[in-house]
Amino acid sequence: MTSTTHPRLALATLTALASLAAHAEPNVTVYGRLNATFERVSVGSGGSRTEVVDNASRIGFKGTEDLGGGNAVIFQIESRVRVDGGDAVALASRDSFVGLKGSPGTLRLGRTLGPAYYATYDYISMHNHDSGHSSDALLSMATMGNSTAAGGRMNNTLWYTSPSVRGFTLDVAYALLDEAPKSTASKQTPHHLGIVGAYDQGPLHAALSYASTQSTTNLDTDPAVRFNNDRAITFGGAYTFPSFVLGGLYERSTKTTLGDEKSRNYFRLAAMVPMGAHEFHANLGVAGDYSDTSDTGARQYTLAYNYNLSKRTKLYAFYTKIDNDSAKSTGGGGAYSFMSTAAGIDNSAIATGIRHNF
């Protein structure tokens, strides 16, 4: 839900929470990221515009309470902020949860993008943390619960993470995406299921995920109308070599809408070459045609350069372009889409920016 809080009031609220956390709760950490770019954005023959763009800046409060015996309460409240003069702060608009951590694993209740997204798509987006105009524009939205209406996140999520056993972990997330239908016997409540098996050992991260999102419209009818049933199976990961990092993923997604079903294949490769304080990045995504329609593919190209001023601050620049087939319409940036475009129209952005973590 979009916040209507006045920006000054919202900022005052965040400041008050930070002050209380610092003085009343020594186990609370205040953290965040400020990330902005100066960009030239172009859309086909529709012209260009120059703008300052916020790239998913945020502020958060997180911590733990030790319960003894290896058990602890964990909690996090993370909120979206903007440094480009945009919308007001919305409290808990990003990943926010409360949970328990112990020998059986970790259980969280709250709001999140979910494990399928974090273990693959976000993990290999090394140049700008999958934010802004150069974020992944081609991924299946089933991985995040088709949740652009909720700010790109899923509400009402239950997320379990197993302990690591020889580098293997299992994540299972279930989210109720909307209110229940009028008839409790209908069993048509919109929901998301995400399952991830991951392996982390030394320089290797690998993950296999399954995501299913079933959304519903006309919830007041009996029975409610099922609008879509989307699924995605994704395999991906990254390997850190002595002189460079290589990441990639393969996604097979299927979208069913009111009885019409179509599938597609999607590949992405990402590479980073660090040289001292310098980082050179290249990223390529290729989405094939949907199974029932030709000329519905798209490609996304990104070249980027980062210069690390310190461990927490970097200057960077990137060029990104989305090349749509004649029957395909893709805006830039996945959940952060900056423009809607007509089918077949390409769009691009060239940017320079600064990112600071605290």
Side-chain angles (χ1 to χ4, degrees):
M1 181 174 62
T2 303
S3 172
T4 56
T5 306
H6 191 280
R8 292 183 179 178
L9 293 177
L11 184 58
T13 302
L14 286 173
T15 303
L17 285 173
S19 178
L20 288 172
H23 291 89
E25 295 287 346
N27 60 328
V28 174
T29 299
V30 181
Y31 69 96
R33 178 177 71 200
L34 301 175
N35 189 7
T37 48
F38 181 71
E39 302 194 18
R40 184 69 172 175
V41 181
S42 301
V43 178
S45 60
S48 302
R49 66 182 184 184
T50 302
E51 56 188 359
V52 173
V53 179
D54 183 89
N55 290 250
S57 296
R58 65 194 183 194
I59 186 170
F61 311 90
K62 63 181 179 181
T64 63
E65 181 185 10
D66 188 359
L67 301 176
N71 300 313
V73 173
I74 59 173
F75 52 90
Q76 176 175 298
I77 302 173
E78 189 172 288
S79 305
R80 177 78 160 91
V81 297
R82 301 188 69 101
V83 296
D84 60 353
D87 297 337
V89 173
L91 290 176
S93 54
R94 290 177 58 89
D95 286 16
S96 301
F97 56 82
V98 62
L100 291 172
K101 184 177 183 179
S103 56
T106 301
L107 185 66
R108 285 168 281 188
L109 295 170
R111 172 178 168 84
T112 181
L113 281 175
Y117 171 76
Y118 284 125
T120 49
Y121 308 89
D122 182 65
Y123 197 94
I124 69 169
S125 184
M126 297 173 279
H127 67 282
N128 197 23
H129 303 288
D130 204 43
S131 63
H133 293 175
S134 65
S135 63
D136 191 337
L138 306 178
L139 78 171
S140 168
M141 292 305 293
T143 61
M144 297 184 290
N146 292 329
S147 52
T148 54
R153 278 166 170 77
M154 297 180 291
N155 297 324
N156 312 311
T157 300
L158 174 68
W159 181 352
Y160 167 76
T161 302
S162 74
S164 178
V165 179
R166 296 185 178 181
F168 290 94
T169 55
L170 174 68
D171 285 89
V172 180
Y174 182 78
L176 297 171
L177 301 177
D178 208 333
E179 72 275 17
K182 184 175 181 180
S183 171
T184 56
S186 179
K187 298 181 180 179
Q188 296 288 307
T189 304
H191 63 272
H192 168 86
L193 174 65
I195 303 173
V196 178
Y199 177 78
D200 289 273
Q201 198 72 268
L204 174 64
H205 167 81
L208 177 64
S209 70
Y210 170 78
S212 172
T213 296
Q214 299 189 29
S215 300
T216 306
T217 58
N218 300 330
L219 293 175
D220 288 336
T221 63
D222 189 9
V225 177
R226 172 74 69 210
F227 180 73
N228 75 292
N229 180 6
D230 298 345
R231 290 89 69 202
I233 297 175
T234 309
F235 176 73
Y239 192 91
T240 303
F241 294 90
S243 57
F244 67 99
V245 181
L246 182 64
L249 64 84
Y250 165 72
E251 169 198 286
R252 175 67 175 179
S253 62
T254 301
K255 184 178 182 64
T256 304
T257 305
L258 297 177
D260 177 28
E261 183 169 291
K262 51 189 176 182
S263 302
R264 67 156 199 185
N265 296 314
Y266 166 46
F267 303 87
R268 182 168 289 273
L269 289 175
M272 176 182 71
V273 179
M275 295 182 179
H278 307 273
E279 296 174 8
F280 299 90
H281 296 263
N283 200 306
L284 169 65
V286 179
D289 289 340
Y290 286 109
S291 56
D292 65 340
T293 311
S294 60
D295 296 323
T296 53
R299 291 145 299 280
Q300 183 177 20
Y301 314 91
T302 302
L303 294 174
Y305 165 75
N306 290 1
Y307 181 77
N308 294 282
L309 297 171
S310 69
K311 290 183 178 180
R312 297 187 298 174
T313 304
K314 62 175 61 181
L315 301 175
Y316 66 96
F318 67 77
Y319 171 78
T320 189
K321 180 179 180 180
I322 298 171
D323 178 14
N324 290 307
D325 287 348
S326 60
K328 177 64 174 176
S329 174
T330 303
Y336 306 95
S337 181
F338 63 99
M339 286 185 178
S340 60
T341 62
I345 295 181
D346 303 334
N347 49 76
S348 63
I350 185 167
T352 181
I354 183 170
R355 179 166 63 251
H356 174 72
N357 296 313
F358 63 89

